[in-house]
Amino acid sequence: MNFDGIISLLIACIELVYIINAFIFGKKNSINKFTIAILVLLFGYQFFEFLICFVGLQNQIIIYLAMVDITLLPPLGLYSSLLFAGKLKNYHKLIFIPAFFFIILYGFLIGELAVTKCTVLYASYHYPLGNLYATFYYLPIIGSMIILNKKWGFESDPKKKMLTRTYFFGFAFTFIPSMIFALFFPTFVQAVESLLCKMAFVLATFLFIFIIKNKE
């Protein structure tokens, strides 16, 4: 029996539970809404990967939707970090421009999108401008960690400091190990989008805790 993509289904189910409970028990403030949106995107990618690898829907439309999903994650993470840190300005909406560039570009080049490998744990893809895409992908994540780390350092209120620590640890415990793995394991680089989203289950868990505790 084919078990490719089954881990994606497991993670998607847990993240869906997080989303439902966040809607029910989390306070409906702006930062929580953006944080829930991140959870929805994380769930969405895992579900798409399940459809691609387990169900076998490897057509360009499904692959494109999966790429759209993960492409929106880094700028949304940066935007929500700026909002949480009280640094958000109107012009910060411009951080979504690179994401929209790749979404439009891959829409025109949808025929070049392909799944090159499916396993129980991950999927790997072929898509144009991979190196440029990777640069775009990591820069907002690094920016988010810097912003949250600074807020953590300057925060004096114990409750807000705890919330900041929770938000920061979600990003740090997900992406710092992934950057280390990328340096030493070629397989990780070849399937970085998929494996990164698997590791982002750690981020999803911390963000869910943040939503439940953020009552302001």
Side-chain angles (χ1 to χ4, degrees):
M1 183 177 178
N2 173 36
F3 288 101
D4 292 349
I6 198 68
I7 299 298
S8 297
L9 177 62
L10 173 62
I11 294 175
C13 289
I14 297 173
E15 289 174 346
L16 181 59
V17 172
Y18 286 168
I19 293 166
I20 293 171
N21 280 275
F23 270 116
I24 295 173
F25 300 108
K27 188 170 182 179
K28 306 303 186 290
N29 53 44
S30 296
I31 183 60
N32 280 356
K33 290 176 181 178
F34 278 103
T35 307
I36 290 173
I38 295 174
L39 292 179
V40 170
L41 289 177
L42 290 171
F43 158 77
Y45 175 76
Q46 297 302 330
F47 184 70
F48 281 127
E49 191 168 295
F50 164 71
L51 294 179
I52 290 168
C53 290
F54 188 87
V55 180
L57 298 178
Q58 296 190 12
N59 63 69
Q60 270 72 31
I61 296 297
I62 298 296
I63 298 170
Y64 175 70
L65 291 176
M67 293 298 296
V68 169
D69 188 300
I70 59 173
T71 299
L72 290 171
L73 273 168
L76 184 59
L78 178 56
Y79 194 85
S80 62
S81 298
L82 287 164
L83 175 62
F84 179 54
K87 304 291 186 181
L88 189 65
K89 308 295 183 183
N90 285 333
Y91 63 82
H92 282 135
K93 293 176 182 177
L94 297 174
I95 64 178
F96 287 93
I97 288 178
F100 292 138
F101 166 77
F102 281 104
I103 288 170
I104 294 170
L105 175 68
Y106 290 156
F108 282 108
L109 302 177
I110 194 169
E112 297 185 35
L113 304 178
V115 178
T116 57
K117 187 176 183 180
C118 270
T119 72
V120 172
L121 183 60
Y122 66 88
S124 56
Y125 305 90
H126 169 76
Y127 51 91
L129 301 178
N131 290 334
L132 181 61
Y133 182 85
T135 301
F136 144 77
Y137 205 86
Y138 273 108
L139 284 178
I141 293 169
I142 294 170
S144 299
M145 290 192 289
I146 292 172
I147 291 166
L148 293 169
N149 187 51
K150 285 185 176 180
K151 178 174 171 56
W152 181 14
F154 286 111
E155 189 60 71
S156 56
D157 182 88
K159 184 177 179 180
K160 291 181 179 179
K161 200 174 188 72
M162 179 273 294
L163 286 171
T164 305
R165 184 169 61 241
T166 302
Y167 215 83
F168 171 75
F169 280 167
F171 280 92
F173 290 164
T174 298
F175 297 107
I176 292 177
S178 73
M179 292 175 186
I180 295 172
F181 291 156
L183 291 174
F184 295 101
F185 299 101
T187 302
F188 190 94
V189 176
Q190 294 167 10
V192 63
E193 302 85 8
S194 178
L195 290 172
L196 200 56
C197 284
K198 293 292 183 303
M199 296 183 69
F201 174 69
V202 176
L203 174 62
T205 302
F206 274 92
L207 293 186
F208 172 66
I209 295 170
F210 172 87
I211 293 167
I212 297 302
K213 291 183 176 294
N214 182 26
K215 302 295 184 181
E216 297 186 10

